Amino acid sequence: MKKIVVTVLAVFSAAFVFAQMDAQGNSSLTEPDPTVIGRDSAKEALREISVDKFEREGSWNVYMSPDAGVITGRLFDGSPAGKEPLKDSGTSQQGTENSGEEADTHVLGIKAEFFRRGVNSIYIRAARPLPIEGVTKTVSVWAAGRNQNHSLYLLVEDYFGNDFELYMGSLEFSGWKKLTVAVPPTPDGEHGIVQQSVYHGDRPGLRIIGFRIDCNPAIAIGKFYVYFDDLRAVTDLYDLENRDADDMLDNW
């Protein structure tokens, strides 16, 4: 009987702690927590960094099958109202520049005009892969999908050049929304998404190739609009920040 009582009390205590953490604003229910992804020691130096702000024309290419429809991509003035500036960043949310930081006043807009219903995919690819130093924990992007039930995937390349896709979520929501995906750690350094190697420590571990939107064939008709802004990553820079100044680079 005592064991049953102790077990019940333990369960209720855990539920209380979980509820208390949620009441204090913990976002674990909506976003992955980068502080616990792949953590096996206290040697972490997590930093949120900007990967791309979608400010330069020609830096992103969009395409779909010519048999499926016509696609167009361009920059527009604007920014999500709920977006917060990076900590220790010289750029304000409105895009004013301080300390030489790049302005943040544009978003990437994409319009797809479907010929007919069907199984279609839309690709949004960076003109060049976007490297992220350190060990990436999460990747986030702001998106406005016009409440269309299409699926968004993040396309990445790992340390060894292997391609992977990570599901970011459905675009079935109104207005802007921040979508975040966790990068699963490799179990043994050889399988899965490998981001670092003891043999070559000077190469960025993850490169963002772009995005893919898998369209719901039931609603992929007429025109579809989607917008992106503020691509960020939370990465562990412990090894880079703790490299000795007199240490040689193994890049010869």
Side-chain angles (χ1 to χ4, degrees):
M1 184 63 180
K2 290 184 178 180
K3 292 184 178 180
I4 296 177
V5 172
V6 171
T7 302
V8 172
L9 290 176
V11 171
F12 276 104
S13 298
F16 174 76
V17 171
F18 181 80
Q20 188 178 31
M21 291 173 63
D22 185 61
Q24 293 173 351
N26 191 308
S27 59
S28 62
L29 291 177
T30 57
E31 295 183 3
D33 186 354
T35 62
V36 299
I37 298 175
R39 184 176 63 183
D40 55 6
S41 71
K43 296 180 179 180
E44 285 189 331
L46 298 181
R47 303 287 185 272
E48 185 178 25
I49 63 173
S50 175
V51 180
D52 194 81
K53 299 178 181 179
F54 300 95
E55 293 294 312
R56 296 177 297 277
E57 289 282 4
S59 59
W60 290 85
N61 301 314
V62 297
Y63 63 93
M64 63 188 297
S65 171
D67 295 331
V70 178
I71 190 168
T72 307
R74 52 163 291 196
L75 297 182
F76 290 88
D77 294 333
S79 181
K83 182 177 62 177
E84 297 181 356
L86 282 172
K87 295 180 181 179
D88 302 326
S89 173
T91 305
S92 69
Q93 183 176 346
Q94 290 74 26
T96 56
E97 293 187 69
N98 298 317
S99 306
E101 288 287 337
E102 180 185 29
D104 189 5
T105 58
H106 295 89
V107 301
L108 175 65
I110 298 157
K111 177 177 69 174
E113 302 174 81
F114 299 106
F115 292 151
R116 63 188 68 84
R117 286 189 177 93
V119 180
N120 306 314
S121 292
I122 297 172
Y123 292 87
I124 307 101
R125 298 177 67 95
R128 292 189 295 179
L130 303 174
I132 304 176
E133 293 186 318
V135 178
T136 304
K137 301 292 186 177
T138 63
V139 178
S140 65
V141 69
W142 282 85
R146 293 297 182 261
N147 204 22
Q148 297 287 325
N149 188 20
H150 304 313
S151 299
L152 178 66
Y153 291 84
L154 177 70
L155 307 179
V156 300
E157 180 184 89
D158 75 349
Y159 181 89
F160 294 115
N162 298 317
D163 294 330
F164 295 89
E165 58 183 47
L166 300 173
Y167 177 68
M168 298 201 74
S170 170
L171 296 175
E172 192 176 11
F173 53 84
S174 299
W176 286 98
K177 181 180 179 181
K178 182 182 178 182
L179 300 176
T180 305
V181 63
V183 181
T186 173
D188 54 9
E190 296 182 1
H191 301 87
I193 302 178
V194 181
Q195 297 195 56
Q196 61 183 355
S197 170
V198 296
Y199 300 105
H200 304 282
D202 62 313
R203 292 173 50 187
L206 194 71
R207 297 168 180 83
I208 293 181
I209 305 300
F211 303 93
R212 190 185 76 239
I213 300 175
D214 287 346
C215 301
N216 185 338
I219 60 175
I221 189 173
K223 297 179 181 179
F224 166 60
Y225 296 88
V226 62
Y227 301 87
F228 293 98
D229 192 30
D230 198 32
L231 179 61
R232 297 185 185 181
V234 175
T235 180
D236 180 10
L237 300 176
Y238 181 86
D239 290 339
L240 297 177
E241 293 183 352
N242 290 275
R243 176 186 288 273
D244 293 333
D246 59 351
D247 195 0
M248 307 302 294
L249 294 177
D250 300 332
N251 57 359
W252 53 281

